[in-house]
Amino acid sequence: MSLRPSEMQQYFVSSVIPTALAGLQSIAEDVLNDHFGYVLGIARRLRSLRSSNII
């Protein structure tokens, strides 16, 4: 037996979560830029922090 998600659940998963994640990413990038200064991109910064075992 399988249950189908309600319309509210479908809306939440298809619209609310992606919007919230984009907002959180923007906030996180602003915080990192404030702390570490601007770098070409967030992906490059995260790779360099990972390679230096900071994160």
Side-chain angles (χ1 to χ4, degrees), residues 4-33:
R4 292 180 16 166
S6 68
E7 287 183 32
M8 181 62 124
Q9 289 170 325
Q10 288 175 341
Y11 173 75
F12 191 77
V13 169
S14 65
S15 297
V16 175
I17 291 176
T19 302
L21 290 177
L24 287 174
Q25 179 183 1
S26 177
I27 292 168
E29 190 165 351
D30 287 343
V31 168
L32 287 173
N33 283 338

Side-chain angles (χ1 to χ4, degrees), residues 27-47:
I27 292 168
E29 190 165 351
D30 287 343
V31 168
L32 287 173
N33 283 338
D34 289 343
H35 190 323
F36 293 108
Y38 180 75
V39 179
L40 291 177
I42 189 76
R44 176 184 255 173
R45 180 184 301 127
L46 290 174
R47 280 193 297 272

